[in-house]
Amino acid sequence: MPSLPDMNTPEVADLARREADAHPAHPTVPQPDAGQEALFETLLRIGDSTLILGHRVSEWCGHSPALEEDIALANVALDLIGQTQLWLGLAGEVEGQGRSADDLAYLRDAWDFRNLLICERPNGDFGHTLMRQFLFDAWHHELLKGLAASSDPRVAEIAAKAGKEVAYHLERSSDLVVRLGDGTEESHRRMQEALDALWPYTGEMFLGDDKDADMAARGIAPDPASLRAGWDETLRHVLTEATLQIPEGDFAHKGGKQGIHTEHLGYILAEMQFLQRAYPGASW
Amino acid sequence: MYAQLVKSEGTKTREEMTPEELAFQERIDRGEKIEPKEWMPEGYRKTLIRQIGQHAHSEIVGQLPEGNWITRAPTLERKAILLAKVQDEAGHGLYLYSAAETLGVSRDELMELLHAGKMKYSSIFNYPTLTWADMGAVGWLVDGAAIMNQVPLQRTSYGPYSRAMIRICKEESFHQRQGYAIMMKMAQGTPAQKRMAQDALNRLWYPALMMFGPSDKDSVHSAQSMAWKIKMNTNDELRQKFVDQTVPQAEYLGLTVPDPNLKWNEEKGGYDFSEPDWSEFYDVLAGNGPCNKDRLGARVKAWEDGAWFREGLMAHAEKAAARRAQAAE
Ligand SMILES: [Fe+2]
Ligand SMILES: [Fe+2]
Ligand SMILES: [Fe+2]
C-alpha cells in the first residue's frame, strides 16, 4: 500500500495562513469571573440536570396512563423547571457575563451542558420513567440536604426551597416504585427491567472531579461521594419493599458533568431551543 | 363548553308530565339545585351524562394540542406557564368525571366510550397547533369561547356540575388572559412573530366559532336542555357574545379577523359576521378533521400502554389489603 502523501503541502499551509489573516478571530466564548469557574460549573451541573429531566418528564403531558399521573408528572416537571430558573439564574449571576437563565438554557450547545446522563435517557415506558425519577429523586434529595447547609447563602436558599419540593417527589416516586414492584407479575418485570437498564447511569451521581473537590473544600457543595450512603439507604429500603433486586454491577457511564453526552441530548436541545434558534433576538 | 351536539329528548308539555316530573320541573323553575341522591327524570340524567362526559373528554383531549408545544416553549417561564395550563385542563377533566360519577357512570366507562368513538369531544381539538402563536390563540379564543359557555353553566340546575363549573371558570379566565398575553407579545414582536399571530387567528377563528355548535335553527336538542337548565343560552346567543367580545380584542392587537363581512351593526348592538363553514364542522365531527385520528389515537395509546400500570396498582392494593386483613386476625 502506498503511503499517504503529506497533507500539509506548502500550498495548503499557505492557504491556511491567508485564511487566518482574512478572518478576525471568533468572538470569545464567555468566561466566568476569576475564581468562580468551579461554582459556575457546579450550578450548571445542577440546573442542567433539573432542566433536562424536567423536559423529559414534560414529554408525558397528556399521554400518561391515568389522569392523576398527568397531573402529578406535570407537577414534577413544573417544580424542576422552576428550580432550573433559580439555579441557572444564579449561574448567570456568578458567571458575571450578563447571561440569563434563558440564555443558558436556550443558547448553549450540547457540549456546554453539564447534566447527569441519566436525565437525558429516553422516557421508555411509564415504569422506566418512574424508575428514572426515583433514582434521581433519591440522589437529588441527598444533594439538596447538603446544599441547604452551603456556605454560600444564595445556594443554601435555593436548596432549602427546592428541598421541600423534592422531598415530595421522592415520596411519590418511592410509593409508586413499591406499588408497581409489588404489583402484578408484569409490573414487577417492567420495574426490574427499568432498574437494570438505568443502573449504569447512577454511578455518575457520586463521581467527583477537581471542581467538586474545590466546592467541597470551600463548604459550598457536598462531596458527591458523600451522598452515596444516604442514597443507598433509600434504595435498600424502597427496593426491598418493592421486591426488586438491586443490580450487582458497578460500571458507570459518565461524562455528562464534563459535557460529554449521549446522542439523545442533541435531539432534546434541537427541540427545546428551536424557537430561540430560528428567531434570534425575538422576545416571547 | 365543549358540548356541541348533545342529544336529549323532546320537550314535554306540563300536561304530558307525570306528577313527579312536574314537581321536578317546578324545582328547577324555582332555581333549586338538584343533588345526586334526589329523584330526576331518566332523560335529565342521560342528557347530563352525555354533556358532562363530552365536556370532560374535551378537557383531556384538549391537553394534546397544547402539549404539542410544551417541549418547544421558547423560554423557561413560558414552558412553566404552559405546563401549568395543561395540568389545569387535566384537573378540569378530573372534576368533570367526578361530577358524572355522581350520576352513576364511572370514569373508566366514559373513557371507553370515548375510545370506541361513541362519545365526542369538542371539534376544536381536531385542529393542529402549528406555531407558537397558536398557544396564544388557543388560550385567547378557545378558552375564551369555553368561558362564554361555562360562566352561565355555573348556574346550571345540577349541583355537582354547577360547582365544578365554578371552580373551572376561575382557571379558564386565567388561561384566557395568559393566551392573550402571548398574542400581545407576538403582535408587538418581530415581523415573523406578527405573521405567526395573524396566521393563528386566520386558522382558529372559524373553528372557535364552531365551538358553540350549529345555528339555533339547526339545533334540535336545545329546548329540553334549556327547560332543564342544563343549557343556559342558545348557541347563536353565545356565538354573538363571543364575537362582540373578541373583535375589539383583535383590533387592539392590530390583527385582522378573517371575515370580510364583519361589520358593526348599530341597530342590534353587535357585529354582523360570517357563519363558519358548517359542512367542515360536520366533517370534523364525523372524524375527518385534520387531527381526529392523531388525537383519539394518542388517547387510546395512552390508555392501552398504561393498562399494566393501572393493573399493577390495583394488584398491589389488593395484596396490601389482604396483608392487613391477615395481620388483624
Ligand atoms: Fe372547559
Ligand atoms: Fe379547561
Ligand atoms: Fe383552559
Side-chain angles (χ1 to χ4, degrees):
Chain A
M1 199 162 79
S3 66
L4 285 169
D6 181 5
M7 303 280 286
N8 228 356
T9 60
E11 293 76 24
V12 170
D14 187 46
L15 184 66
R17 248 191 319 277
R18 274 188 285 124
E19 271 295 299
D21 291 344
H23 301 288
H26 290 288
T28 47
V29 175
Q31 290 297 317
D33 291 351
Q36 299 285 11
E37 297 93 343
L39 177 54
F40 176 63
E41 192 82 4
T42 298
L43 292 166
L44 291 184
R45 288 171 178 181
I46 307 167
D48 288 345
S49 291
T50 54
L51 172 61
I52 299 302
L53 185 61
H55 179 98
R56 276 296 191 218
V57 173
S58 77
E59 290 173 7
W60 275 101
C61 214
H63 302 276
S64 66
L67 260 181
E68 288 81 354
E69 295 308 311
D70 273 331
I71 293 171
L73 283 190
N75 225 16
V76 171
L78 265 172
D79 286 345
L80 291 174
I81 298 303
Q83 292 168 19
T84 302
Q85 287 175 292
L86 299 174
W87 290 125
L88 293 186
L90 180 55
E93 199 181 307
V94 163
E95 187 193 34
Q97 304 292 323
R99 288 204 279 185
S100 66
D102 280 338
D103 292 337
L104 290 169
Y106 291 93
L107 300 175
R108 283 176 302 154
D109 200 349
W111 54 16
D112 288 328
F113 273 73
R114 296 291 182 262
N115 58 283
L116 296 170
L117 297 180
I118 195 171
C119 301
E120 65 199 58
R121 296 305 301 156
N123 284 340
D125 69 6
F126 201 69
H128 203 93
T129 292
L130 283 176
M131 185 56 79
R132 182 185 62 197
Q133 193 67 42
F134 167 65
L135 295 170
F136 181 85
D137 291 344
W139 168 80
H140 199 192
H141 186 61
E142 295 299 321
L143 173 71
L144 291 172
K145 272 198 281 184
L147 290 174
S150 173
S151 60
D152 185 324
R154 298 167 301 179
V155 171
E157 194 187 326
I158 299 174
K161 181 187 179 293
K164 292 189 197 109
E165 296 168 348
V166 170
Y168 176 70
H169 298 178
L170 178 60
E171 198 182 306
R172 196 190 100 81
S173 60
S174 302
D175 177 56
L176 281 171
V177 164
V178 166
R179 288 156 73 190
L180 293 168
D182 185 25
T184 59
E185 217 171 281
E186 182 181 7
S187 71
H188 176 86
R189 174 183 60 76
R190 284 176 184 263
M191 296 313 282
Q192 185 66 54
E193 279 172 11
L195 177 57
D196 294 346
L198 288 162
W199 190 251
Y201 293 93
T202 55
E204 188 186 19
M205 297 168 173
F206 311 105
L207 291 175
D209 59 10
D210 52 342
K211 297 198 174 74
D212 291 310
D214 180 26
M215 286 294 100
R218 288 156 63 191
I220 295 179
D223 171 12
S226 72
L227 307 176
R228 179 103 211 190
W231 186 81
D232 277 339
E233 180 54 32
T234 304
L235 259 72
R236 241 194 322 276
H237 177 77
V238 172
L239 295 176
T240 304
E241 210 185 326
T243 70
L244 295 170
Q245 210 71 48
I246 295 182
E248 305 225 311
D250 60 0
F251 174 77
H253 290 291
K254 50 186 180 287
K257 288 170 69 172
Q258 289 77 30
I260 299 163
H261 291 274
T262 66
E263 290 178 347
H264 302 289
L265 185 64
Y267 290 94
I268 293 177
L269 297 185
E271 190 171 340
M272 186 173 88
Q273 298 179 339
F274 155 66
L275 282 168
Q276 290 282 358
R277 301 294 196 178
Y279 302 96
S283 143
W284 303 92
Chain B
M1 143 121 295
Y2 307 153
Q4 295 164 313
L5 262 184
V6 179
K7 286 204 191 108
S8 76
E9 343 278 289
T11 319
K12 283 186 183 173
T13 63
R14 299 180 86 80
E15 290 71 42
E16 291 165 342
M17 288 183 193
T18 64
E20 260 175 329
E21 286 169 346
L22 192 61
F24 180 81
Q25 188 60 52
E26 278 165 357
R27 288 189 62 197
I28 288 185
D29 295 343
R30 282 196 300 270
E32 286 178 31
K33 292 273 178 270
I34 310 300
E35 295 301 332
K37 292 279 179 302
E38 297 170 345
W39 185 86
M40 60 185 78
E42 198 46 25
Y44 176 85
R45 198 180 68 84
K46 281 195 177 138
T47 308
L48 264 177
I49 288 176
R50 281 192 214 106
Q51 180 168 331
I52 299 174
Q54 263 192 39
H55 189 161
H57 296 332
S58 299
E59 300 285 353
I60 60 160
V61 177
Q63 292 183 91
L64 300 171
E66 289 178 288
N68 182 39
W69 279 90
I70 287 175
T71 55
R72 289 177 291 172
T75 67
L76 295 170
E77 195 190 350
R78 290 286 176 215
K79 196 203 266 302
I81 291 173
L82 186 58
L83 255 170
K85 186 203 186 237
V86 176
Q87 184 191 34
D88 284 348
E89 306 301 3
H92 298 170
L94 213 53
Y95 307 156
L96 287 161
Y97 286 121
S98 303
E101 271 172 4
T102 65
L103 294 160
V105 59
S106 74
R107 194 206 307 180
D108 286 6
E109 286 173 82
L110 287 173
M111 286 213 174
E112 270 153 24
L113 288 169
L114 169 70
H115 297 157
K118 290 181 183 152
M119 276 186 95
K120 302 255 179 260
Y121 53 89
S122 177
S123 57
I124 189 73
F125 301 118
N126 290 313
Y127 289 86
T129 53
L130 300 178
T131 74
W132 175 252
D134 290 19
M135 296 304 97
V138 166
W140 172 36
L141 301 174
V142 176
D143 288 78
I147 293 165
M148 209 40 97
N149 190 57
Q150 288 170 195
V151 163
L153 280 175
Q154 295 179 103
R155 293 180 287 110
T156 189
S157 61
Y158 188 55
Y161 191 24
S162 153
R163 289 187 288 275
M165 280 304 129
I166 291 168
R167 287 177 78 176
I168 289 174
C169 279
K170 282 201 197 99
E171 294 178 351
E172 299 294 15
S173 59
F174 197 56
H175 296 167
Q176 193 194 18
R177 277 201 298 274
Q178 287 167 344
Y180 196 69
I182 292 179
M183 289 309 274
M184 216 125 87
K185 268 277 190 207
M186 306 287 285
Q188 295 165 359
T190 64
Q193 286 176 304
K194 275 182 214 159
R195 184 178 154 206
M196 277 185 222
Q198 182 62 55
D199 171 68
L201 177 57
N202 292 350
R203 278 182 291 105
L204 288 168
W205 174 255
Y206 288 106
L209 295 188
M210 291 175 196
M211 288 176 67
F212 299 95
S215 176
D216 296 340
K217 58 186 189 308
D218 306 314
S219 188
V220 286
H221 310 296
S222 287
Q224 177 64 79
S225 286
M226 289 187 73
W228 277 334
K229 294 192 189 161
I230 290 175
K231 193 177 165 75
M232 309 299 283
N233 303 84
T234 71
N235 297 348
D236 286 334
E237 276 168 18
L238 292 171
R239 191 169 11 250
Q240 180 71 52
K241 252 182 112 176
F242 176 74
V243 171
D244 293 344
Q245 173 190 287
T246 309
V247 170
Q249 294 170 345
E251 281 167 1
Y252 183 78
L253 291 171
L255 300 178
T256 309
V257 173
D259 180 358
N261 300 317
L262 187 77
K263 202 167 93 249
W264 177 255
N265 180 332
E266 192 61 55
E267 208 171 311
K268 78 171 180 188
Y271 285 91
D272 291 332
F273 58 94
S274 303
E275 294 263 312
D277 174 358
W278 290 113
S279 69
E280 177 181 314
F281 173 73
Y282 288 108
D283 276 342
V284 173
L285 283 199
N288 296 318
C291 298
N292 293 59
K293 298 275 181 304
D294 292 344
R295 299 286 187 250
L296 195 58
R299 290 306 312 170
V300 170
K301 184 175 188 314
W303 185 250
E304 287 176 353
D305 288 356
W308 72 268
F309 170 86
R310 297 187 301 272
E311 285 157 14
L313 294 190
M314 216 118 77
H316 179 80
E318 282 160 17
K319 282 187 197 177
R323 278 196 290 261
R324 270 195 305 275
Q326 206 163 35
E329 268 169 28

